[in-house]
Amino acid sequence: MREAVLAVDLGTSGVKAAVVALDGELAGFAERPYDLIQGDDPACVEQDAVRWWTASRDAMRDAAAAARGVRIVGASIGGQGPSLVPVDESGLPLHNAIIWMDRRAEPERRALSERAGSEVSVYSNVPKAMWLRLHRPDVYAKTRWFLQSWDYIAYRLTGVAVASSFAGATVFPRELLAAADLDPAKFPGEHLMGTPVGTIGEDAASDLGTAAFVVAGGVNDSTATVIGGGLVRRGLALDLGGTSGGISLAWDRPLNADGLTAWPAPTPGLFVCGGPLATAGRALLWFMAVAGFAPGDYAGVEGEAARTPAGAEGLVFLPYLAGERTPLWDDNARGVFFGLRDGHSRGHLARAVFEGVAFGMRHVVDVLREQGGAIEELRVMGGQAKVKLWNQVKADVLGVPVSVPTVTEGAVMGEAVLAVAGAGRASDVASAASRFLKEAARFEPDPATAPVYEARYRTYRELYPRLKDLMRSGGE
């Protein structure tokens, strides 16, 4: 019987579970949706962690049932972040998860930065825990563990609490916990992704319809996508896809100035440079909903956009629907359609959305190039990779070939790689990643579109600096 691993991506809009054979073949797949919880305060964005668990359990069960003739030997769970959930000893949530989109703890983050004597990262979950201690003291008092989203699912499976991430990252720095006046006993120990956390219990295995297997430490979905995209060579870049999206370049030194981030890559001697966007994939979903496209009608929106010429006849879109991350890092940035006139149709707006997201990626790429980086090829992941026009637009705007793998669920494939390593079926993460990646399609840049895209991109870059103050003063 072939061996396989179970990979789970606990995303923002739903969870995906896949059974992946050790040769990289997708043997089973399932997903379950869940919703955001938003009240009157736009800074507060939560999700029901109980729903996280039931959706994950059902997706894992269905993926395992769909996989025929394989034996699951390992698993890994990754997902959205920074998202935080407080749980009791049995793993039951005591409060809705405060997810990565939530901005309520910004005052705590600023205060903590002053106490710590250095800027606390927006990726830190410590300010969220600090907010709970200050504003929900009853929840804080009852909390046994503060867990990341993926570690919460692993805890429900194994009963072992960890704070898992990539090498060099510290999820809950002890000095930061002290500065925040938080009890360090409520925060689990640090754990390296791809190393065993524990074995699932008998009840969990029976519930999933599998034999017992080892669960390896997971990581955030952006990092998992980088691993699943096989960034194992200098000059390879990855479009992270997903709700937020982003771009990462494998390079031999950290390029982390001017709003970029950099962290050690799975391959020794390389760094993953670039950073996340805020609403790349979400921009298309938003547009489809408000423009009257049926849910999931990607063929329809692509078809209308394809009938519109490159450059959308002067229409430019800023995709800052939830602020912007790399390289602006401005929560007050706002989306804009610029140049709209009566000759524009729904197809023009659709085309502008495709191009605006590509321009956002180009902005990150230009900063990378200014720091000495160079992109040889862009690999695309996620739902965006299934839209051929979008792939071609990205190739044209960035001026580099775009490669689409056979399996575009990058975070899921990355977690499968970590599961393989954790189960001892590969010598390291990099060798497992190289084994899994196979190309399905390739898009070369079209030089005929270069002049119009250069002109539209110049407009794109000029708009934010000119509108920044208005965006900040306009409020909600």
Side-chain angles (χ1 to χ4, degrees), residues 28-63:
F29 183 83
E31 56 187 324
R32 290 288 189 280
Y34 37 72
D35 298 321
L36 299 176
I37 301 172
Q38 295 176 280
D40 295 333
D41 185 349
C44 296
V45 188
E46 302 177 345
Q47 285 184 319
D48 181 357
V50 174
R51 177 59 184 153
W52 276 356
W53 164 245
T54 58
S56 298
R57 180 199 61 203
D58 293 347
M60 287 188 285
R61 180 192 296 146
D62 288 354

CSV table of all heavy atoms in Angstrom, one decimal, residues 28-63:
chain,number,residue,atom,x,y,z
A,28,GLY,N,-6.5,12.7,-2.4
A,28,GLY,CA,-7.8,13.0,-1.8
A,28,GLY,C,-7.8,14.5,-1.4
A,28,GLY,O,-6.8,15.0,-1.0
A,29,PHE,N,-9.0,15.1,-1.5
A,29,PHE,CA,-9.1,16.5,-1.2
A,29,PHE,C,-10.5,16.9,-0.7
A,29,PHE,O,-11.5,16.3,-1.3
A,29,PHE,CB,-8.7,17.4,-2.4
A,29,PHE,CG,-8.8,18.9,-2.2
A,29,PHE,CD1,-7.7,19.5,-1.6
A,29,PHE,CD2,-9.9,19.6,-2.5
A,29,PHE,CE1,-7.7,20.9,-1.4
A,29,PHE,CE2,-9.9,21.0,-2.2
A,29,PHE,CZ,-8.8,21.6,-1.7
A,30,ALA,N,-10.6,17.8,0.2
A,30,ALA,CA,-11.9,18.2,0.7
A,30,ALA,C,-11.7,19.6,1.3
A,30,ALA,O,-10.6,20.0,1.8
A,30,ALA,CB,-12.5,17.2,1.7
A,31,GLU,N,-12.8,20.4,1.4
A,31,GLU,CA,-12.8,21.7,2.0
A,31,GLU,C,-14.1,22.0,2.6
A,31,GLU,O,-15.1,21.4,2.3
A,31,GLU,CB,-12.4,22.7,1.0
A,31,GLU,CG,-13.2,22.8,-0.2
A,31,GLU,CD,-12.6,23.8,-1.3
A,31,GLU,OE1,-12.0,24.8,-0.9
A,31,GLU,OE2,-12.7,23.5,-2.5
A,32,ARG,N,-14.0,22.9,3.6
A,32,ARG,CA,-15.2,23.3,4.3
A,32,ARG,C,-15.1,24.9,4.5
A,32,ARG,O,-14.1,25.4,4.9
A,32,ARG,CB,-15.4,22.7,5.7
A,32,ARG,CG,-15.7,21.2,5.6
A,32,ARG,CD,-17.2,21.0,5.2
A,32,ARG,NE,-17.5,19.6,5.3
A,32,ARG,CZ,-17.2,18.6,4.4
A,32,ARG,NH1,-16.5,18.9,3.4
A,32,ARG,NH2,-17.6,17.4,4.7
A,33,PRO,N,-16.2,25.6,4.3
A,33,PRO,CA,-16.2,27.0,4.5
A,33,PRO,C,-16.5,27.4,5.9
A,33,PRO,O,-17.1,26.6,6.7
A,33,PRO,CB,-17.2,27.5,3.6
A,33,PRO,CG,-18.3,26.4,3.6
A,33,PRO,CD,-17.5,25.1,3.7
A,34,TYR,N,-16.2,28.6,6.3
A,34,TYR,CA,-16.7,29.2,7.5
A,34,TYR,C,-16.6,30.7,7.4
A,34,TYR,O,-16.0,31.2,6.4
A,34,TYR,CB,-15.9,28.8,8.8
A,34,TYR,CG,-14.4,28.6,8.6
A,34,TYR,CD1,-13.6,29.7,8.5
A,34,TYR,CD2,-13.8,27.4,8.6
A,34,TYR,CE1,-12.2,29.6,8.3
A,34,TYR,CE2,-12.5,27.2,8.5
A,34,TYR,CZ,-11.6,28.3,8.3
A,34,TYR,OH,-10.3,28.1,8.2
A,35,ASP,N,-17.2,31.5,8.3
A,35,ASP,CA,-17.5,32.9,8.1
A,35,ASP,C,-16.6,33.7,9.0
A,35,ASP,O,-16.2,33.3,10.1
A,35,ASP,CB,-18.9,33.2,8.3
A,35,ASP,CG,-19.9,32.5,7.3
A,35,ASP,OD1,-19.5,32.4,6.1
A,35,ASP,OD2,-21.0,32.1,7.7
A,36,LEU,N,-16.5,35.0,8.6
A,36,LEU,CA,-15.9,36.0,9.5
A,36,LEU,C,-17.0,36.4,10.5
A,36,LEU,O,-18.2,36.4,10.2
A,36,LEU,CB,-15.5,37.2,8.8
A,36,LEU,CG,-14.3,37.0,7.7
A,36,LEU,CD1,-14.0,38.3,7.0
A,36,LEU,CD2,-13.1,36.5,8.4
A,37,ILE,N,-16.6,36.9,11.7
A,37,ILE,CA,-17.6,37.5,12.6
A,37,ILE,C,-17.1,39.0,12.8
A,37,ILE,O,-16.1,39.2,13.4
A,37,ILE,CB,-17.5,36.7,14.0
A,37,ILE,CG1,-17.9,35.3,13.8
A,37,ILE,CG2,-18.5,37.4,15.0
A,37,ILE,CD1,-17.7,34.4,15.0
A,38,GLN,N,-18.0,39.9,12.4
A,38,GLN,CA,-17.7,41.3,12.4
A,38,GLN,C,-18.8,42.0,13.1
A,38,GLN,O,-20.0,41.8,12.7
A,38,GLN,CB,-17.4,41.9,11.1
A,38,GLN,CG,-16.1,41.3,10.4
A,38,GLN,CD,-15.9,41.8,9.0
A,38,GLN,OE1,-16.5,41.3,8.1
A,38,GLN,NE2,-15.0,42.8,8.8
A,39,GLY,N,-18.6,42.9,14.0
A,39,GLY,CA,-19.6,43.7,14.7
A,39,GLY,C,-19.6,45.1,14.2
A,39,GLY,O,-19.2,45.4,13.0
A,40,ASP,N,-20.0,46.0,15.0
A,40,ASP,CA,-20.1,47.4,14.7
A,40,ASP,C,-18.7,48.0,14.5
A,40,ASP,O,-18.5,49.0,13.8
A,40,ASP,CB,-20.9,48.2,15.7
A,40,ASP,CG,-22.4,47.7,15.7
A,40,ASP,OD1,-22.8,47.3,14.7
A,40,ASP,OD2,-23.0,47.9,16.8
A,41,ASP,N,-17.7,47.5,15.3
A,41,ASP,CA,-16.4,48.1,15.2
A,41,ASP,C,-15.6,47.4,14.1
A,41,ASP,O,-15.3,46.2,14.1
A,41,ASP,CB,-15.6,47.8,16.6
A,41,ASP,CG,-14.3,48.5,16.6
A,41,ASP,OD1,-13.8,49.0,15.6
A,41,ASP,OD2,-13.7,48.5,17.7
A,42,PRO,N,-15.3,48.2,13.0
A,42,PRO,CA,-14.6,47.6,11.9
A,42,PRO,C,-13.2,47.1,12.2
A,42,PRO,O,-12.6,46.3,11.4
A,42,PRO,CB,-14.5,48.8,10.9
A,42,PRO,CG,-14.6,50.0,11.7
A,42,PRO,CD,-15.5,49.7,12.9
A,43,ALA,N,-12.6,47.5,13.4
A,43,ALA,CA,-11.3,47.0,13.7
A,43,ALA,C,-11.4,45.6,14.3
A,43,ALA,O,-10.3,44.9,14.3
A,43,ALA,CB,-10.7,47.9,14.8
A,44,CYS,N,-12.6,45.1,14.6
A,44,CYS,CA,-12.7,43.8,15.2
A,44,CYS,C,-13.1,42.7,14.2
A,44,CYS,O,-14.2,42.9,13.6
A,44,CYS,CB,-13.7,43.8,16.4
A,44,CYS,SG,-13.2,44.9,17.8
A,45,VAL,N,-12.3,41.7,14.0
A,45,VAL,CA,-12.6,40.6,13.1
A,45,VAL,C,-12.3,39.3,13.8
A,45,VAL,O,-11.1,39.1,14.1
A,45,VAL,CB,-11.8,40.8,11.8
A,45,VAL,CG1,-12.4,39.7,10.8
A,45,VAL,CG2,-11.9,42.2,11.2
A,46,GLU,N,-13.3,38.5,14.0
A,46,GLU,CA,-13.1,37.2,14.7
A,46,GLU,C,-13.6,36.1,13.9
A,46,GLU,O,-14.2,36.2,12.8
A,46,GLU,CB,-13.9,37.3,16.0
A,46,GLU,CG,-13.5,38.4,17.0
A,46,GLU,CD,-14.4,38.4,18.2
A,46,GLU,OE1,-15.4,37.8,18.2
A,46,GLU,OE2,-14.0,39.1,19.2
A,47,GLN,N,-13.3,34.9,14.4
A,47,GLN,CA,-13.9,33.6,13.8
A,47,GLN,C,-14.1,32.7,15.0
A,47,GLN,O,-13.5,32.7,16.0
A,47,GLN,CB,-13.0,33.0,12.8
A,47,GLN,CG,-13.0,33.7,11.5
A,47,GLN,CD,-12.2,33.1,10.3
A,47,GLN,OE1,-11.2,32.6,10.6
A,47,GLN,NE2,-12.8,33.1,9.1
A,48,ASP,N,-15.1,31.8,14.8
A,48,ASP,CA,-15.5,30.8,15.8
A,48,ASP,C,-14.5,29.6,15.7
A,48,ASP,O,-14.5,28.9,14.7
A,48,ASP,CB,-16.9,30.3,15.5
A,48,ASP,CG,-17.4,29.3,16.5
A,48,ASP,OD1,-16.6,28.9,17.4
A,48,ASP,OD2,-18.6,28.9,16.4
A,49,ALA,N,-13.6,29.5,16.7
A,49,ALA,CA,-12.6,28.4,16.7
A,49,ALA,C,-13.2,27.0,16.8
A,49,ALA,O,-12.6,26.1,16.3
A,49,ALA,CB,-11.6,28.7,17.8
A,50,VAL,N,-14.4,26.9,17.4
A,50,VAL,CA,-15.1,25.6,17.4
A,50,VAL,C,-15.4,25.2,16.0
A,50,VAL,O,-15.3,24.1,15.6
A,50,VAL,CB,-16.4,25.7,18.3
A,50,VAL,CG1,-17.2,24.4,18.1
A,50,VAL,CG2,-16.0,25.9,19.7
A,51,ARG,N,-15.9,26.2,15.2
A,51,ARG,CA,-16.2,25.9,13.8
A,51,ARG,C,-14.9,25.6,13.0
A,51,ARG,O,-14.9,24.7,12.1
A,51,ARG,CB,-16.8,27.2,13.1
A,51,ARG,CG,-17.1,27.0,11.6
A,51,ARG,CD,-18.0,25.9,11.3
A,51,ARG,NE,-18.2,25.7,9.9
A,51,ARG,CZ,-18.4,24.5,9.3
A,51,ARG,NH1,-18.6,23.4,10.0
A,51,ARG,NH2,-18.6,24.5,8.0
A,52,TRP,N,-13.8,26.2,13.4
A,52,TRP,CA,-12.5,25.8,12.8
A,52,TRP,C,-12.3,24.3,13.0
A,52,TRP,O,-11.9,23.6,12.1
A,52,TRP,CB,-11.3,26.5,13.5
A,52,TRP,CG,-11.0,27.9,13.1
A,52,TRP,CD1,-11.6,28.6,12.0
A,52,TRP,CD2,-10.0,28.8,13.7
A,52,TRP,NE1,-11.0,29.8,11.9
A,52,TRP,CE2,-10.1,30.0,12.9
A,52,TRP,CE3,-9.2,28.7,14.7
A,52,TRP,CZ2,-9.2,31.1,13.2
A,52,TRP,CZ3,-8.3,29.7,15.0
A,52,TRP,CH2,-8.4,30.9,14.3
A,53,TRP,N,-12.5,23.8,14.2
A,53,TRP,CA,-12.2,22.4,14.5
A,53,TRP,C,-13.2,21.5,13.8
A,53,TRP,O,-12.8,20.5,13.1
A,53,TRP,CB,-12.3,22.2,16.0
A,53,TRP,CG,-12.4,20.7,16.3
A,53,TRP,CD1,-13.4,20.1,16.9
A,53,TRP,CD2,-11.4,19.7,16.0
A,53,TRP,NE1,-13.2,18.7,17.0
A,53,TRP,CE2,-12.0,18.5,16.5
A,53,TRP,CE3,-10.2,19.7,15.4
A,53,TRP,CZ2,-11.3,17.3,16.3
A,53,TRP,CZ3,-9.5,18.5,15.3
A,53,TRP,CH2,-10.0,17.3,15.7
A,54,THR,N,-14.5,21.8,13.8
A,54,THR,CA,-15.4,20.9,13.2
A,54,THR,C,-15.3,20.9,11.7
A,54,THR,O,-15.4,19.8,11.0
A,54,THR,CB,-16.9,21.3,13.5
A,54,THR,OG1,-17.1,22.6,13.1
A,54,THR,CG2,-17.1,21.1,15.0
A,55,ALA,N,-15.0,22.0,11.1
A,55,ALA,CA,-14.7,22.1,9.7
A,55,ALA,C,-13.5,21.3,9.3
A,55,ALA,O,-13.4,20.6,8.3
A,55,ALA,CB,-14.6,23.5,9.2
A,56,SER,N,-12.4,21.5,10.1
A,56,SER,CA,-11.2,20.8,9.8
A,56,SER,C,-11.3,19.3,10.0
A,56,SER,O,-10.9,18.5,9.1
A,56,SER,CB,-10.1,21.2,10.8
A,56,SER,OG,-9.8,22.6,10.6
A,57,ARG,N,-12.0,18.8,11.0
A,57,ARG,CA,-12.3,17.4,11.3
A,57,ARG,C,-13.0,16.8,10.1
A,57,ARG,O,-12.7,15.7,9.6
A,57,ARG,CB,-13.1,17.2,12.5
A,57,ARG,CG,-13.4,15.8,12.9
A,57,ARG,CD,-14.6,15.7,13.9
A,57,ARG,NE,-15.8,16.4,13.3
A,57,ARG,CZ,-16.8,16.9,14.0
A,57,ARG,NH1,-16.7,16.9,15.4
A,57,ARG,NH2,-17.8,17.4,13.4
A,58,ASP,N,-14.1,17.5,9.6
A,58,ASP,CA,-14.9,17.0,8.5
A,58,ASP,C,-14.1,16.9,7.2
A,58,ASP,O,-14.2,16.0,6.5
A,58,ASP,CB,-16.2,17.8,8.4
A,58,ASP,CG,-17.1,17.7,9.5
A,58,ASP,OD1,-16.9,16.8,10.4
A,58,ASP,OD2,-18.0,18.5,9.6
A,59,ALA,N,-13.3,18.0,7.0
A,59,ALA,CA,-12.5,18.0,5.8
A,59,ALA,C,-11.4,16.9,5.8
A,59,ALA,O,-11.2,16.2,4.8
A,59,ALA,CB,-11.9,19.4,5.6
A,60,MET,N,-10.8,16.7,6.9
A,60,MET,CA,-9.8,15.6,7.0
A,60,MET,C,-10.4,14.3,6.8
A,60,MET,O,-9.9,13.4,6.1
A,60,MET,CB,-9.1,15.7,8.4
A,60,MET,CG,-8.1,16.8,8.5
A,60,MET,SD,-7.1,16.8,10.1
A,60,MET,CE,-8.4,17.3,11.3
A,61,ARG,N,-11.6,14.1,7.4
A,61,ARG,CA,-12.3,12.8,7.3
A,61,ARG,C,-12.7,12.5,5.8
A,61,ARG,O,-12.5,11.4,5.3
A,61,ARG,CB,-13.6,12.8,8.2
A,61,ARG,CG,-14.4,11.5,8.1
A,61,ARG,CD,-15.7,11.7,8.8
A,61,ARG,NE,-15.6,12.0,10.2
A,61,ARG,CZ,-16.4,12.9,10.8
A,61,ARG,NH1,-17.4,13.5,10.2
A,61,ARG,NH2,-16.3,13.0,12.1
A,62,ASP,N,-13.2,13.5,5.1
A,62,ASP,CA,-13.6,13.4,3.7
A,62,ASP,C,-12.4,13.1,2.8
A,62,ASP,O,-12.5,12.3,1.9
A,62,ASP,CB,-14.4,14.6,3.3
A,62,ASP,CG,-15.8,14.6,3.9
A,62,ASP,OD1,-16.2,13.6,4.6
A,62,ASP,OD2,-16.5,15.6,3.7
A,63,ALA,N,-11.3,13.9,3.1
A,63,ALA,CA,-10.1,13.7,2.2
A,63,ALA,C,-9.5,12.3,2.4
A,63,ALA,O,-9.1,11.6,1.4
A,63,ALA,CB,-9.1,14.7,2.6
